[in-house]
Amino acid sequence: MRKKCIAIIPARGGSKRIPRKNIKPFLGQPIIKYSIDAALNAGVFDEVIVSTEDNEIARIVASLGADVPFFRSEKTSDDHASLADVIGEVISEYKKRDEYFEYFCCILATAPFIFSKRLTQGMQLLEKSGADSIVPVVRYGYPIQRALKIENNRLEMICPENYNKRSNTLMPSYHDCGQFYCMKTESFLKQKKL
């Protein structure tokens, strides 16, 4: 039997760096539309919801096919709330309704290059691998061991011991590509982090 899975798209209305970033137009569409479309078309989610405290965002995402089953609390709407806080609140709200999802996928609202195929692959890999979580990563284009810093108006290596090492001999490094996080709900509830 297939396990229940929910897509959660956090979209706070009070962004400070880029005001209203989650609904800003990107190629003629609200940027959140790309994340919603990818989730709806992935074919692996029982529900696709948006977590927001904002009425305008709620109206827009409803017109795009996602659901806002409840509004965020003040605690998860401020500048200090983490993604884990938001996910925890969603899981808790569903628990009050006697609903439980074995898996969730937190999809960032500002990920216009996300593809439904990647979400499908991520959820399938999570279920088949036995891992607690799956996150897409991208290899850095150049070894981070050769990174530089500016200190006292001087450019210096962060790890000067790598100055004479060939870049192709240094271990490859990766970074989170900022699109989604798939996780077993049970593992999240134990760890309280993504």
Side-chain angles (χ1 to χ4, degrees), residues 138-155:
V138 176
R139 185 175 173 171
Y140 279 101
Y142 193 76
I144 61 171
Q145 299 90 334
R146 302 284 308 268
L148 305 170
K149 63 181 177 179
I150 298 174
E151 203 168 86
N152 299 322
N153 287 330
R154 291 184 54 112
L155 194 60

Side-chain angles (χ1 to χ4, degrees), residues 142-143 145-146 162-171:
Y142 193 76
Q145 299 90 334
R146 302 284 308 268
N162 293 319
Y163 182 77
N164 289 319
K165 291 183 182 173
R166 296 182 55 163
S167 61
N168 64 351
T169 64
L170 297 170
M171 180 179 68

Side-chain angles (χ1 to χ4, degrees), residues 101-146:
F101 296 90
E102 285 86 0
Y103 299 104
F104 69 84
C105 186
C106 176
I107 303 170
L108 301 184
T110 53
F113 302 112
I114 193 168
F115 296 102
S116 56
K117 177 182 175 182
R118 293 291 182 227
L119 292 171
T120 304
Q121 290 171 332
M123 292 308 302
Q124 289 171 344
L125 181 59
L126 177 62
E127 192 167 3
K128 289 176 184 172
S129 70
D132 287 334
S133 61
I134 299 292
V135 59
V137 295
V138 176
R139 185 175 173 171
Y140 279 101
Y142 193 76
I144 61 171
Q145 299 90 334
R146 302 284 308 268

Side-chain angles (χ1 to χ4, degrees), residues 61-73:
V61 301
S63 74
L64 298 172
D67 191 20
V68 180
F70 51 84
F71 281 92
R72 277 193 199 186
S73 65

Side-chain angles (χ1 to χ4, degrees), residues 12-47:
R12 191 168 70 94
S15 176
K16 301 287 188 286
R17 244 179 337 133
I18 303 173
R20 315 299 291 161
K21 72 178 178 185
N22 297 312
I23 54 174
K24 280 215 178 284
F26 184 82
L27 297 176
Q29 301 290 334
I31 197 163
I32 196 170
K33 181 183 188 323
Y34 300 95
S35 296
I36 291 170
D37 286 350
L40 291 171
N41 294 322
V44 293
F45 302 114
D46 296 288
E47 289 193 40

Side-chain angles (χ1 to χ4, degrees), residues 60-100:
I60 289 171
V61 301
S63 74
L64 298 172
D67 191 20
V68 180
F70 51 84
F71 281 92
R72 277 193 199 186
S73 65
E74 276 187 44
K75 181 181 176 189
T76 60
S77 298
D78 70 16
D79 293 337
H80 305 290
S82 67
L83 282 177
D85 294 333
V86 173
I87 299 303
E89 180 175 67
V90 169
I91 291 168
S92 176
E93 285 296 321
Y94 274 96
K95 185 177 179 183
K96 290 176 190 174
R97 301 164 187 213
D98 287 327
E99 285 193 69
Y100 181 76

